[in-house]
Coordinates of all heavy atoms in Angstrom, one line a residue:
M1 N 0.8 -1.2 0.0 CA 0.0 0.0 0.0 C 0.9 1.3 0.0 O 1.9 1.3 0.7 CB -0.8 -0.1 1.3 CG -1.5 1.4 1.5 SD -2.5 1.2 3.0 CE -3.9 2.2 2.4
E2 N 0.6 2.1 -0.8 CA 1.2 3.5 -0.8 C 0.6 4.5 0.1 O -0.7 4.7 -0.2 CB 1.5 4.0 -2.3 CG 2.2 5.2 -2.4 CD 2.4 5.7 -3.7 OE1 2.3 4.9 -4.7 OE2 2.6 6.9 -3.9
L3 N 1.3 4.9 1.0 CA 0.7 5.9 1.8 C 1.0 7.3 1.4 O 2.1 7.6 1.0 CB 1.2 5.9 3.3 CG 1.0 4.5 4.0 CD1 1.5 4.4 5.3 CD2 -0.6 4.2 4.1
T4 N 0.0 8.1 1.2 CA 0.2 9.6 0.7 C -0.1 10.6 1.6 O 0.2 11.8 1.2 CB -0.6 9.7 -0.6 OG1 -2.0 9.6 -0.2 CG2 -0.2 8.7 -1.7
S5 N -0.7 10.3 2.8 CA -1.1 11.4 3.7 C -1.1 10.7 5.1 O -1.2 9.6 5.3 CB -2.3 12.0 3.4 OG -3.4 11.0 3.5
A6 N -1.2 11.6 6.1 CA -1.4 11.1 7.5 C -2.8 10.4 7.6 O -3.0 9.4 8.4 CB -1.4 12.4 8.5
S7 N -3.8 10.8 6.8 CA -5.1 10.2 7.0 C -5.1 8.9 6.3 O -5.7 8.0 6.8 CB -6.2 11.2 6.4 OG -5.9 11.5 5.0
S8 N -4.3 8.7 5.3 CA -4.1 7.3 4.7 C -3.6 6.3 5.6 O -3.8 5.2 5.8 CB -3.7 7.3 3.4 OG -2.3 7.7 3.4
L9 N -2.5 6.9 6.4 CA -1.8 6.0 7.4 C -2.7 5.7 8.5 O -2.8 4.5 8.9 CB -0.5 6.8 7.9 CG 0.2 6.0 9.0 CD1 0.7 4.6 8.5 CD2 1.3 6.9 9.5
G10 N -3.5 6.7 9.0 CA -4.5 6.3 10.0 C -5.5 5.5 9.7 O -5.9 4.6 10.4
A11 N -6.0 5.5 8.5 CA -7.1 4.5 7.9 C -6.6 3.2 7.9 O -7.1 2.2 8.3 CB -7.5 5.0 6.5
E12 N -5.2 3.0 7.5 CA -4.6 1.7 7.4 C -4.4 1.1 8.8 O -4.5 0.0 9.1 CB -3.3 1.8 6.7 CG -2.6 0.5 6.6 CD -3.3 -0.7 5.9 OE1 -4.3 -0.5 5.2 OE2 -3.0 -1.9 6.1
V13 N -3.9 2.0 9.8 CA -3.8 1.5 11.2 C -5.1 1.0 11.8 O -5.4 -0.1 12.3 CB -3.2 2.6 12.0 CG1 -3.3 2.4 13.5 CG2 -1.7 3.0 11.7
R14 N -6.2 1.7 11.5 CA -7.5 1.4 12.0 C -8.0 0.2 11.3 O -8.6 -0.6 12.0 CB -8.4 2.6 11.7 CG -9.8 2.3 12.4 CD -10.7 3.6 12.2 NE -11.8 3.6 13.2 CZ -13.0 3.1 12.9 NH1 -13.2 2.6 11.7 NH2 -13.8 3.1 13.8
R15 N -7.8 0.1 10.1 CA -8.2 -1.2 9.3 C -7.5 -2.5 9.9 O -8.1 -3.5 10.2 CB -8.0 -1.0 7.9 CG -8.5 -2.1 7.0 CD -7.7 -2.2 5.7 NE -6.3 -2.7 5.8 CZ -5.8 -3.8 6.2 NH1 -6.6 -4.9 6.4 NH2 -4.5 -4.0 6.3
K16 N -6.3 -2.2 10.1 CA -5.5 -3.4 10.5 C -5.9 -3.8 12.0 O -6.0 -4.9 12.3 CB -4.0 -3.2 10.6 CG -3.1 -4.1 10.9 CD -3.1 -5.4 10.0 CE -2.1 -6.4 10.5 NZ -2.0 -7.5 9.5
R17 N -6.0 -2.8 12.8 CA -6.4 -3.0 14.2 C -7.8 -3.7 14.3 O -8.0 -4.7 15.0 CB -6.6 -1.7 15.0 CG -7.1 -1.8 16.4 CD -7.1 -0.5 17.2 NE -8.1 0.5 16.6 CZ -9.4 0.5 16.8 NH1 -9.9 -0.6 17.4 NH2 -10.2 1.3 16.3
K18 N -8.7 -3.2 13.4 CA -10.0 -3.9 13.5 C -10.0 -5.4 12.9 O -10.6 -6.2 13.4 CB -11.0 -3.1 12.7 CG -11.3 -1.7 13.5 CD -12.8 -1.2 13.1 CE -13.0 -0.2 13.9 NZ -14.1 -0.5 14.9
S19 N -9.2 -5.5 11.9 CA -9.0 -6.9 11.3 C -8.4 -7.8 12.3 O -8.7 -9.0 12.3 CB -8.1 -6.9 10.0 OG -6.8 -6.8 10.4
L20 N -7.7 -7.3 13.3 CA -7.1 -8.1 14.4 C -8.0 -8.3 15.6 O -7.7 -8.8 16.7 CB -5.8 -7.7 14.8 CG -4.5 -7.6 13.9 CD1 -3.4 -6.8 14.3 CD2 -4.3 -9.1 13.5
K21 N -9.2 -7.6 15.5 CA -10.3 -7.4 16.5 C -9.6 -7.0 17.8 O -9.9 -7.5 18.8 CB -10.9 -8.9 16.7 CG -11.6 -9.5 15.5 CD -12.3 -10.8 15.6 CE -12.9 -11.5 14.5 NZ -13.0 -10.9 13.3
L22 N -8.8 -5.9 17.7 CA -8.3 -5.3 19.0 C -9.1 -4.1 19.1 O -9.5 -3.2 18.2 CB -6.8 -4.9 18.6 CG -6.0 -6.2 18.5 CD1 -4.5 -5.6 18.0 CD2 -5.9 -6.9 19.8
T23 N -9.3 -3.6 20.5 CA -9.9 -2.4 20.7 C -8.8 -1.3 20.8 O -7.6 -1.7 20.7 CB -10.5 -2.4 22.1 OG1 -9.5 -2.7 23.2 CG2 -11.6 -3.6 22.3
L24 N -9.1 0.0 20.8 CA -8.2 1.0 20.9 C -7.3 0.8 22.2 O -6.2 1.0 22.2 CB -8.9 2.3 21.1 CG -9.3 3.1 19.9 CD1 -10.2 4.3 20.0 CD2 -8.1 3.5 19.0
E25 N -8.0 0.5 23.4 CA -7.3 0.2 24.7 C -6.3 -0.9 24.6 O -5.3 -0.8 25.0 CB -8.4 0.0 25.6 CG -7.8 -0.1 27.1 CD -8.7 -0.3 28.2 OE1 -10.1 -0.5 27.9 OE2 -8.3 -0.1 29.3
Q26 N -6.8 -2.0 23.9 CA -5.8 -3.1 23.8 C -4.6 -2.8 23.0 O -3.4 -3.1 23.3 CB -6.5 -4.3 23.1 CG -7.6 -4.9 24.0 CD -8.3 -6.0 23.2 OE1 -8.6 -5.7 22.1 NE2 -8.9 -7.0 24.1
T27 N -4.9 -2.0 21.8 CA -3.8 -1.7 20.8 C -2.9 -0.7 21.6 O -1.6 -0.8 21.5 CB -4.3 -1.1 19.6 OG1 -5.3 -2.1 19.1 CG2 -3.2 -0.7 18.7
A28 N -3.4 0.2 22.3 CA -2.5 1.3 23.1 C -1.7 0.5 24.0 O -0.4 0.8 24.1 CB -3.5 2.3 23.7
L29 N -2.2 -0.3 24.7 CA -1.5 -1.1 25.8 C -0.3 -1.9 25.2 O 0.7 -1.8 25.6 CB -2.5 -2.0 26.6 CG -1.9 -2.7 27.7 CD1 -1.5 -1.8 28.9 CD2 -2.9 -3.7 28.3
V30 N -0.7 -2.7 24.2 CA 0.3 -3.5 23.6 C 1.4 -2.5 23.0 O 2.7 -3.0 22.9 CB -0.2 -4.4 22.5 CG1 0.8 -5.1 21.7 CG2 -1.2 -5.3 23.2
S31 N 1.1 -1.5 22.3 CA 1.9 -0.6 21.7 C 2.9 0.2 22.6 O 3.9 0.7 22.2 CB 1.2 0.4 20.7 OG 0.5 -0.4 19.8
G32 N 2.3 0.5 23.8 CA 3.0 1.3 24.7 C 2.8 2.8 24.5 O 3.6 3.6 24.8
V33 N 1.5 3.1 23.9 CA 1.3 4.6 23.7 C -0.2 4.8 24.3 O -0.7 3.9 24.7 CB 1.1 4.8 22.2 CG1 2.4 4.5 21.5 CG2 -0.1 4.1 21.4
S34 N -0.4 6.1 24.4 CA -1.7 6.4 25.1 C -2.9 6.2 24.1 O -2.7 6.3 22.9 CB -1.6 7.9 25.6 OG -1.6 8.8 24.4
M35 N -4.0 6.1 24.6 CA -5.2 6.0 23.8 C -5.4 7.3 23.0 O -5.8 7.2 21.8 CB -6.4 5.6 24.6 CG -6.5 4.1 25.0 SD -7.9 3.7 26.0 CE -9.1 4.2 25.0
S36 N -5.2 8.5 23.6 CA -5.4 9.7 22.9 C -4.4 9.8 21.7 O -4.7 10.3 20.7 CB -5.2 10.9 23.8 OG -4.0 10.9 24.4
F37 N -3.2 9.3 21.8 CA -2.2 9.3 20.7 C -2.8 8.3 19.7 O -2.8 8.7 18.5 CB -0.8 8.8 21.1 CG 0.1 8.6 20.0 CD1 0.8 9.8 19.5 CD2 0.2 7.5 19.2 CE1 1.5 9.6 18.4 CE2 0.9 7.2 18.2 CZ 1.8 8.5 17.7
L38 N -3.2 7.2 20.0 CA -3.7 6.2 19.0 C -5.0 6.8 18.2 O -5.1 6.7 17.0 CB -4.0 4.9 19.7 CG -4.5 3.7 18.8 CD1 -3.4 3.5 17.6 CD2 -4.7 2.4 19.5
R39 N -5.8 7.4 19.0 CA -7.0 8.1 18.3 C -6.6 9.2 17.4 O -7.2 9.1 16.2 CB -7.9 8.7 19.5 CG -8.9 7.9 20.1 CD -9.9 8.5 20.9 NE -10.4 7.8 22.0 CZ -9.9 7.9 23.2 NH1 -9.1 8.7 23.6 NH2 -10.4 7.0 24.1
G40 N -5.6 9.9 17.8 CA -5.1 10.9 16.9 C -4.5 10.4 15.6 O -4.7 10.9 14.3
L41 N -3.7 9.3 15.9 CA -3.1 8.6 14.6 C -4.1 8.1 13.7 O -4.1 8.3 12.5 CB -2.2 7.5 15.2 CG -1.4 6.6 14.1 CD1 -0.6 7.6 13.2 CD2 -0.8 5.5 14.9
E42 N -5.1 7.4 14.3 CA -6.2 6.9 13.4 C -7.0 7.9 12.8 O -7.5 7.7 11.7 CB -7.1 6.0 14.1 CG -6.4 4.6 14.6 CD -7.4 3.6 15.1 OE1 -8.6 3.9 15.4 OE2 -6.9 2.5 15.4
K43 N -7.1 9.0 13.3 CA -7.9 10.1 12.8 C -7.0 11.0 11.7 O -7.5 11.9 11.0 CB -8.5 11.1 13.8 CG -9.6 10.5 14.6 CD -10.1 11.5 15.5 CE -11.1 10.9 16.4 NZ -11.7 11.7 17.4
G44 N -5.8 10.7 11.6 CA -4.9 11.3 10.6 C -4.2 12.5 11.1 O -3.9 13.4 10.2
K45 N -4.1 12.6 12.4 CA -3.4 13.9 13.0 C -2.0 14.0 12.3 O -1.2 13.0 12.4 CB -3.3 13.8 14.4 CG -2.8 14.9 15.1 CD -2.9 14.7 16.6 CE -2.2 15.9 17.3 NZ -2.2 15.7 18.8
E46 N -1.7 15.2 11.7 CA -0.4 15.3 11.0 C 0.7 15.4 12.0 O 1.8 15.3 11.5 CB -0.6 16.3 10.0 CG -1.6 16.1 8.9 CD -1.5 17.0 7.7 OE1 -0.8 18.0 7.8 OE2 -2.4 16.9 6.9
S47 N 0.5 15.9 13.2 CA 1.6 16.1 14.1 C 2.0 14.9 15.0 O 2.7 15.1 15.9 CB 1.3 17.4 14.9 OG 0.2 17.0 15.7
C48 N 1.5 13.8 14.7 CA 1.8 12.6 15.4 C 3.3 12.3 15.3 O 3.9 12.5 14.2 CB 1.1 11.3 15.0 SG -0.6 11.1 15.5
Q49 N 4.0 12.0 16.4 CA 5.5 11.7 16.5 C 5.8 10.4 15.9 O 5.0 9.4 15.9 CB 6.0 11.8 17.9 CG 5.8 13.2 18.5 CD 6.2 13.2 20.0 OE1 6.5 12.1 20.6 NE2 6.5 14.4 20.5
L50 N 6.9 10.4 15.3 CA 7.4 9.1 14.5 C 7.6 7.9 15.5 O 7.2 6.9 15.1 CB 8.6 9.5 13.8 CG 9.2 8.2 13.0 CD1 8.1 7.8 11.8 CD2 10.5 8.7 12.1
A51 N 8.3 8.0 16.5 CA 8.7 6.9 17.4 C 7.4 6.2 17.9 O 7.3 5.0 17.7 CB 9.6 7.4 18.6
P52 N 6.5 7.0 18.5 CA 5.3 6.2 18.9 C 4.5 5.6 17.8 O 3.8 4.5 17.9 CB 4.4 7.2 19.8 CG 5.1 8.5 19.6 CD 6.4 8.3 19.0
T53 N 4.4 6.3 16.6 CA 3.7 5.8 15.5 C 4.4 4.5 15.0 O 3.8 3.4 14.8 CB 3.8 6.8 14.3 OG1 3.2 8.0 14.7 CG2 3.2 6.1 13.0
L54 N 5.7 4.4 15.0 CA 6.4 3.1 14.6 C 6.1 2.1 15.7 O 6.0 0.8 15.3 CB 7.9 3.4 14.6 CG 8.3 4.2 13.4 CD1 9.8 4.5 13.5 CD2 7.9 3.5 12.1
K55 N 5.9 2.3 17.0 CA 5.5 1.3 18.0 C 4.2 0.8 17.6 O 4.1 -0.5 17.7 CB 5.5 2.1 19.4 CG 6.8 2.2 20.0 CD 6.6 3.0 21.3 CE 7.8 3.2 22.1 NZ 7.6 3.7 23.5
V56 N 3.2 1.6 17.2 CA 1.9 1.1 16.9 C 2.0 0.2 15.7 O 1.4 -0.9 15.6 CB 0.9 2.3 16.7 CG1 -0.4 1.8 16.0 CG2 0.8 3.0 18.0
L57 N 2.7 0.7 14.6 CA 2.8 -0.1 13.4 C 3.5 -1.4 13.8 O 3.0 -2.5 13.2 CB 3.7 0.7 12.4 CG 3.1 2.0 11.9 CD1 4.0 2.6 10.8 CD2 1.7 1.8 11.4
R58 N 4.5 -1.5 14.4 CA 5.1 -2.8 14.8 C 4.2 -3.8 15.5 O 4.2 -4.8 15.3 CB 6.4 -2.3 15.7 CG 7.4 -3.6 15.8 CD 8.7 -3.1 16.5 NE 8.8 -1.9 17.3 CZ 9.4 -0.8 16.8 NH1 9.8 -0.6 15.7 NH2 9.2 0.3 17.7
A59 N 3.5 -3.1 16.6 CA 2.6 -3.9 17.3 C 1.5 -4.6 16.5 O 1.0 -5.7 16.8 CB 2.0 -3.2 18.6
L60 N 1.1 -3.9 15.4 CA 0.0 -4.3 14.5 C 0.5 -5.3 13.3 O -0.1 -5.8 12.6 CB -0.7 -3.2 13.9 CG -1.7 -2.4 14.9 CD1 -2.3 -1.2 14.3 CD2 -2.7 -3.3 15.6
G61 N 1.9 -5.2 13.3 CA 2.5 -6.1 12.2 C 2.6 -5.4 10.9 O 2.6 -6.0 9.9
I62 N 2.5 -4.1 10.9 CA 2.5 -3.3 9.7 C 4.0 -2.9 9.4 O 4.7 -2.3 10.3 CB 1.8 -2.0 9.7 CG1 0.3 -2.3 10.0 CG2 1.9 -1.1 8.6 CD1 -0.6 -1.2 10.3
S63 N 4.5 -3.2 8.3 CA 5.9 -2.8 8.0 C 6.0 -1.7 7.1 O 5.0 -1.3 6.4 CB 6.8 -4.1 7.4 OG 6.1 -4.4 6.1
V64 N 7.1 -0.9 7.2 CA 7.4 0.3 6.5 C 8.5 0.1 5.6 O 9.5 -0.2 6.1 CB 7.4 1.4 7.4 CG1 7.7 2.8 6.7 CG2 6.2 1.6 8.3
R65 N 8.4 0.5 4.4 CA 9.7 0.5 3.5 C 9.8 2.0 2.8 O 8.8 2.6 2.4 CB 9.4 -0.5 2.5 CG 10.7 -0.7 1.5 CD 10.5 -1.8 0.5 NE 9.9 -1.1 -0.5 CZ 9.0 -1.6 -1.5 NH1 8.7 -3.0 -1.4 NH2 8.6 -1.0 -2.5
L66 N 10.9 2.5 2.8 CA 11.2 3.8 2.2 C 11.9 3.5 0.9 O 12.9 2.8 0.8 CB 12.1 4.6 3.0 CG 11.5 5.0 4.5 CD1 12.5 5.8 5.3 CD2 10.1 5.7 4.4
D67 N 11.4 4.1 -0.1 CA 12.0 4.0 -1.5 C 12.5 5.3 -1.9 O 11.9 6.3 -1.6 CB 10.9 3.5 -2.5 CG 10.6 2.1 -2.3 OD1 11.5 1.3 -1.8 OD2 9.4 1.6 -2.7
G68 N 13.6 5.2 -2.6 CA 14.0 6.5 -3.3 C 14.9 7.5 -2.3 O 14.9 8.6 -2.7
L69 N 15.2 7.1 -1.1 CA 15.8 8.0 -0.2 C 17.2 7.5 0.0 O 17.5 6.3 0.0 CB 15.1 7.8 1.2 CG 13.7 8.4 1.2 CD1 13.1 8.2 2.6 CD2 13.6 9.8 0.8
A70 N 18.2 8.4 0.1 CA 19.6 8.0 0.4 C 19.6 7.4 1.8 O 18.8 7.8 2.7 CB 20.4 9.4 0.3
L71 N 20.5 6.3 1.8 CA 20.5 5.6 3.3 C 21.5 6.2 4.2 O 21.5 5.9 5.3 CB 20.9 4.1 2.9 CG 19.9 3.4 2.0 CD1 20.4 2.0 1.9 CD2 18.5 3.4 2.7
S72 N 22.5 7.1 3.8 CA 23.3 7.8 4.6 C 23.1 9.2 4.7 O 22.7 9.9 3.8 CB 24.7 7.5 3.9 OG 25.8 8.1 4.6
T73 N 23.4 9.7 6.0 CA 23.4 11.1 6.1 C 24.6 11.8 6.0 O 24.9 13.0 6.0 CB 22.8 11.4 7.5 OG1 23.6 10.8 8.4 CG2 21.3 11.0 7.5
D74 N 25.7 10.9 5.7 CA 27.0 11.4 5.5 C 27.3 12.0 4.1 O 27.1 11.2 3.1 CB 28.1 10.3 5.7 CG 29.6 10.5 5.5 OD1 29.8 11.8 5.3 OD2 30.4 9.7 5.8
P75 N 27.4 13.2 3.9 CA 27.5 13.9 2.7 C 28.6 13.2 1.7 O 28.6 13.1 0.5 CB 27.7 15.3 2.8 CG 28.0 15.4 4.2 CD 27.6 14.2 5.0
R76 N 29.7 12.8 2.4 CA 30.8 12.1 1.6 C 30.3 10.8 1.0 O 30.8 10.5 0.0 CB 31.9 11.7 2.6 CG 32.6 13.2 3.1 CD 33.6 12.7 4.1 NE 32.9 12.3 5.3 CZ 33.5 11.8 6.5 NH1 34.7 11.9 6.6 NH2 32.8 11.2 7.4
A77 N 29.3 10.2 1.5 CA 28.8 8.9 1.0 C 28.1 9.2 -0.5 O 28.4 8.4 -1.4 CB 27.9 8.3 1.9
S78 N 27.4 10.3 -0.6 CA 26.7 10.7 -1.8 C 27.9 10.9 -2.8 O 27.8 10.7 -4.0 CB 25.8 12.0 -1.7 OG 24.9 11.6 -0.8
Q79 N 28.9 11.8 -2.4 CA 30.1 12.0 -3.3 C 30.7 10.8 -3.8 O 31.1 10.8 -5.0 CB 31.1 12.9 -2.7 CG 30.4 14.4 -2.3 CD 31.3 15.1 -1.4 OE1 32.4 14.7 -0.9 NE2 31.0 16.4 -1.3
R80 N 30.9 9.8 -2.8 CA 31.6 8.6 -3.3 C 30.7 7.8 -4.3 O 31.1 7.2 -5.4 CB 31.9 7.6 -2.1 CG 33.1 8.1 -1.2 CD 33.4 7.0 -0.2 NE 32.3 6.8 0.7 CZ 32.2 7.5 1.9 NH1 33.1 8.3 2.3 NH2 31.2 7.0 2.7
E81 N 29.4 7.7 -4.1 CA 28.5 7.0 -5.0 C 28.5 7.7 -6.4 O 28.4 7.1 -7.4 CB 27.2 7.0 -4.4 CG 26.9 6.0 -3.1 CD 25.6 6.3 -2.4 OE1 24.7 6.9 -3.0 OE2 25.5 5.6 -1.4
A82 N 28.5 9.0 -6.3 CA 28.6 9.8 -7.7 C 29.8 9.6 -8.5 O 29.8 9.5 -9.6 CB 28.4 11.2 -7.3
S83 N 30.9 9.2 -7.8 CA 32.3 9.0 -8.5 C 32.4 7.6 -8.9 O 33.3 7.3 -9.7 CB 33.4 9.4 -7.6 OG 33.6 8.6 -6.5
D84 N 31.5 6.7 -8.4 CA 31.6 5.2 -8.7 C 31.1 5.0 -10.2 O 30.4 5.4 -10.8 CB 30.9 4.3 -7.8 CG 31.6 4.3 -6.4 OD1 32.9 4.7 -6.4 OD2 31.0 3.8 -5.4

């Protein structure tokens, strides 16, 4: 699934949670996040923090893959790749 917005991520989290027959409370407990955070995530709140979001995704078995991004923050790595 390609995620294009916070609301599409929230909808996927909610769909997966419901498919696992988990309540908000159960999911929050297993994920180690608050229920209010989880509610905001499912509603597509754009300011949700990454670390707790990843906890929820991991708890629900949702994997994340990034395509097209440089893997290194070292600017010298980009220069080495360009010269290869």
Side-chain angles (χ1 to χ4, degrees):
M1 164 180 224
E2 185 175 337
L3 299 174
T4 58
S5 66
S7 60
S8 65
L9 174 61
E12 180 60 19
V13 167
R14 187 170 199 272
R15 185 202 64 74
K16 181 67 173 185
R17 176 179 64 79
K18 292 213 171 246
S19 77
L20 294 171
K21 298 182 179 1
L22 294 171
T23 65
L24 278 168
E25 185 175 13
Q26 290 168 328
T27 305
L29 183 64
V30 169
S31 302
V33 301
S34 69
M35 284 184 51
S36 63
F37 176 85
L38 185 54
R39 275 191 209 100
L41 179 62
E42 287 191 358
K43 289 181 178 181
K45 182 177 177 184
E46 293 188 5
S47 61
C48 283
Q49 296 178 343
L50 182 59
T53 298
L54 292 174
K55 286 181 179 182
V56 172
L57 298 179
R58 196 169 23 256
L60 293 174
I62 299 172
S63 61
V64 177
R65 187 180 85 206
L66 300 177
D67 289 332
L69 296 177
L71 297 178
S72 175
T73 57
D74 181 356
R76 294 172 296 179
S78 298
Q79 293 170 352
R80 284 193 299 267
E81 290 171 5
S83 65
D84 289 343

